Amino acid sequence: EVQLVESGGGLVQSGGSLRLSCAASGFTFSSYSMNWVRQAPGKGLEWVSYISSSSSTIYYADSVKGRFTIFRDNGKNSLFLQMNSLRAEDTAVYYCARDRDFDNWGQGTLVTVSS
Amino acid sequence: EIVMTQSPATLSVSPGERATLSCRASQSVSNNLAWYQQKPGQAPRLLINGASTRATGIPARFSGSGSGTEFTLTISSLQSEDFAVYYCQQYNNWPPGTFGQGTKVEIK
């Protein structure tokens, strides 16, 4: 069974940093691209970042470019999102999701940025 | 960036009735379109990809159709567990994989 478990969320002040993690199991992690998707309270879904299986291709939404960094450790079946210079508008539940059609999602981790 | 527009924003349906949800792309996305279901407090779940292929474990009452710019998700006979928010998403022009704003299916 595919499992994705996010962690690392919490309350941080504006301008601060957080690192999110996504632990993967139940599939060959190194064979799949991965994404981060977020959802602000009461709002819809927003794709944040994508990383290919080998880390050779990386994309970011314009709203986070230059502030967030996605990376992965295939040896540890883990995906990460380093978030710097956080803003109030980054407040959201952050999900990791597998592949370009997001066929599996984690349960999410809440990031709250206080101004 | 491709804009995905869903309609209606809210759909009121009685259990056992048919629900039809629409999704329109601002330009062609071929059949690279997915539908997701999200219940309160839960992560989204993939229902349909390739515009019409049900994901593993998804009941046959869910069906998707369309290509190019016009897409439809049909729930043939609504069950109590189907009341949720549904999102479409294109993955033809990547990045970004843009989502629609969602359609809430509520009990009439």
Side-chain angles (χ1 to χ4, degrees):
Chain A
E1 178 194 5
V2 172
Q3 280 206 313
L4 298 169
V5 180
E6 301 93 337
S7 60
L11 177 62
V12 61
Q13 287 192 330
S14 180
S17 297
L18 275 178
R19 177 178 291 183
L20 305 184
S21 301
C22 171
S25 61
F27 65 103
T28 304
F29 180 72
S30 60
S31 297
Y32 286 86
S33 62
M34 297 293 296
N35 300 270
W36 288 99
V37 179
R38 68 184 179 183
Q39 187 170 36
K43 303 297 184 182
L45 300 169
E46 179 190 16
W47 170 80
V48 172
S49 186
Y50 163 93
I51 186 167
S52 64
S53 57
S54 64
S55 304
S56 59
T57 302
I58 288 174
Y59 300 123
Y60 298 99
D62 287 345
S63 56
V64 306
K65 202 172 293 183
R67 300 187 298 122
F68 290 12
T69 301
I70 189 172
F71 59 102
R72 63 191 294 163
D73 184 337
N74 285 343
K76 295 184 177 179
N77 294 337
S78 294
L79 174 72
F80 302 95
L81 186 68
Q82 177 66 42
M83 305 188 295
N84 298 332
S85 303
L86 282 162
R87 307 167 179 166
E89 55 265 35
D90 296 319
T91 294
V93 174
Y94 285 73
Y95 298 100
C96 59
R98 191 179 78 165
D99 218 343
R100 284 198 176 192
D101 60 356
F102 307 149
D103 62 358
N104 284 272
W105 298 63
Q107 85 291 347
T109 187
L110 176 62
V111 173
T112 303
V113 184
S114 65
S115 53
Chain B
E1 176 177 321
I2 296 177
V3 177
M4 307 301 292
T5 303
Q6 293 185 240
S7 61
T10 303
L11 187 61
S12 298
V13 185
S14 299
E17 288 189 339
R18 182 186 194 93
T20 302
L21 289 67
S22 296
C23 175
R24 174 177 293 178
S26 59
Q27 63 189 77
S28 176
V29 298
S30 185
N31 68 337
N32 295 309
L33 188 285
W35 290 95
Y36 305 88
Q37 176 194 66
Q38 187 178 33
K39 298 178 182 180
Q42 295 186 17
R45 175 176 71 148
L46 176 67
L47 296 176
I48 301 278
N49 61 9
S52 61
T53 302
R54 280 190 302 277
T56 302
I58 301 304
R61 64 180 181 273
F62 291 92
S63 62
S65 63
S67 65
T69 62
E70 300 284 343
F71 301 89
T72 300
L73 174 69
T74 302
I75 311 171
S76 59
S77 177
L78 271 160
Q79 307 297 303
S80 57
E81 62 266 29
D82 300 335
F83 292 96
V85 179
Y86 293 83
Y87 294 94
C88 64
Q89 182 240 351
Q90 68 83 19
Y91 52 96
N92 188 65
N93 285 34
W94 185 277
T98 42
F99 292 91
Q101 80 280 17
T103 290
K104 181 180 180 180
V105 177
E106 64 177 23
I107 300 175
K108 187 174 182 180

